Amino acid sequence: MKVFLRPSGGPFLLWTLAVQLLLCGSGVYASDNTKNCKLFSESDSERKVLSRLEPLINKNFTVETKNDKESYTYVFQLCGDADGIPGAGIIQVDSKQNRKTIIGTYNSTQAIGGSDWVMLIYRNGDKYDAHCSQEMRKAIVMITCNRKVDMGQLEVVLEDRDREQDCFYLFELDSSSVCPALESHLSAGSIILIIGFCLLAVYLTGGFLYQRLIVGAKGMEQFPNYAFWVEVGNLTADGCDFVCRSRNREESPAYRGVNTQPIEDEPEERDDHLLPM
C-alpha cells in the first residue's frame, strides 16, 4: 500500500493514525473484557449474556456484614481479580482474623439471563472447613434492572450452608446495564409533526434574523417572505368566500317595501287660459 504525504501533512497524519489506533484499541478491549471469564460450559448464549454486563467491568463492589460474633467484608469483581487476588471473582475477608477466603472464581463462570436480570454464578471457591461435605464454595450474584442507578450497592442476601451439597452464597446488585431497551412510543405521524415543527421554528428564526440584521427590515416586514404569505392569505380568503357563501350578496330583494314618506303634492295644472273669453 502506498501512502502519499505532503511535507506539511505529516504531523496531521500521525495524529489521525494515533486517534484511530486508540479508538480501535478501545473497541477491542471493550469487546474482550468479559472474555476473561471462563465459562463452566462454553456457549454463545452465555457469552451474549455476559456482554450485557460490560459497564460493570473493572469495578470492585464491596459490602460489609456484622453481628455479635463475626464481621465479614465481601469483594466482588466481574471477570477480574477481586481485591487483587488472581482468579478470584468474589472473596470473603474476615475482619477479625484478617483472613481472605475465595468464594468463587471467574475461571468457572455460568451466566443466565432474562429480560431484565442476569444471574452470575462463580464456582470452584475454597472448600468449606466443616460444612456442606467440605465441597468448594459457590457464589451467585443476581443483577437486576434498575434504571435509576448505573451501578448499585452489592448486598448479601444469605449464605446457605445448612445442607450436605450445593451450598452457596447469594448476592444482589442493581444496575441499569441489564435493563431492556426502551421502545419508542411515537408513531410515524408524531415523528413527522415533530420534524415539521422543528423545521418551521428554524425557518421563522432564521428568516427573522436575516430580515432584521441583513436586510434591515422593520415591523411586519421582518417576517420571512412576508409578501408571499400575505398573497397566500388573500387567495385563501377569496377561495373560502367563493366556496362557503350560499348566495350572492348583491341579489335584489323579492319585494319592495312600502314608502312611508309623504308624497309631495304635484302642482295642479290649470287650463283656464284655453277657454274663450
Side-chain angles (χ1 to χ4, degrees), residues 17-34 54 57-58:
L17 292 175
V19 171
Q20 290 178 350
L21 289 174
L22 180 61
L23 294 176
C24 292
S26 300
V28 170
Y29 292 136
S31 62
D32 290 344
N33 277 333
T34 57
E54 283 284 347
I57 289 292
N58 298 327

Side-chain angles (χ1 to χ4, degrees), residues 184-253:
S184 176
H185 297 287
L186 295 177
S187 63
S190 300
I191 295 175
I192 293 175
L193 286 176
I194 292 174
I195 295 175
F197 281 121
C198 293
L199 293 177
L200 179 61
V202 172
Y203 167 75
L204 293 176
T205 305
F208 174 82
L209 293 176
Y210 177 81
Q211 292 290 109
R212 174 83 174 183
L213 302 178
I214 305 301
V215 180
K218 303 292 183 181
M220 293 298 295
E221 297 294 333
Q222 298 175 94
F223 193 87
N225 303 111
Y226 175 74
F228 170 77
W229 293 115
V230 168
E231 184 65 21
V232 170
N234 292 335
L235 292 176
T236 303
D238 293 341
C240 291
D241 183 71
F242 177 79
V243 173
C244 299
R245 295 291 181 181
S246 59
R247 64 184 180 84
N248 189 358
R249 290 178 296 176
E250 297 179 356
E251 183 179 354
S252 60

Side-chain angles (χ1 to χ4, degrees), residues 30-182:
S31 62
D32 290 344
N33 277 333
T34 57
K35 290 185 179 180
N36 293 332
C37 280
K38 295 181 180 179
L39 295 176
F40 184 75
S41 178
E42 187 69 35
S43 68
D44 293 337
S45 60
E46 292 192 36
R47 283 294 172 192
K48 186 176 180 181
V49 172
L50 280 175
S51 66
R52 296 168 58 185
L53 303 177
E54 283 284 347
L56 306 181
I57 289 292
N58 298 327
K59 299 292 189 298
N60 273 324
F61 299 89
T62 60
V63 60
E64 185 177 0
T65 60
K66 292 182 179 180
N67 55 35
D68 297 336
K69 298 181 180 180
E70 299 174 331
S71 176
Y72 295 108
T73 300
Y74 297 89
V75 182
F76 161 64
Q77 186 172 150
L78 177 67
C79 301
D81 299 333
D83 201 29
I85 299 178
I90 297 182
I91 65 169
Q92 179 192 65
V93 182
D94 190 337
S95 302
K96 294 182 178 181
Q97 300 181 9
N98 196 21
R99 183 181 66 178
K100 297 182 179 180
T101 303
I102 298 177
I103 300 177
T105 65
Y106 60 84
N107 294 326
S108 181
T109 304
Q110 185 177 359
I112 304 171
S115 60
D116 58 354
W117 57 270
V118 170
M119 183 170 67
L120 192 67
I121 303 175
Y122 283 160
R123 303 177 184 272
N124 297 343
D126 292 341
K127 291 183 178 180
Y128 283 97
D129 296 331
H131 302 280
C132 306
S133 303
Q134 296 183 342
E135 69 177 0
M136 292 182 174
R137 287 175 169 84
K138 176 175 64 177
I140 301 175
V141 182
M142 284 295 302
I143 305 173
T144 55
C145 169
N146 187 347
R147 298 188 186 277
K148 297 181 180 180
V149 294
D150 294 332
M151 292 172 287
Q153 295 293 326
L154 185 68
E155 297 181 4
V156 181
V157 179
L158 62 90
E159 178 188 4
D160 189 356
R161 62 183 185 180
D162 298 328
R163 57 174 70 190
E164 293 296 325
Q165 292 180 341
D166 292 332
C167 299
F168 60 89
Y169 293 77
L170 180 60
F171 301 87
E172 282 186 349
L173 179 65
D174 291 340
S175 175
S176 59
S177 61
V178 297
C179 295
L182 293 175

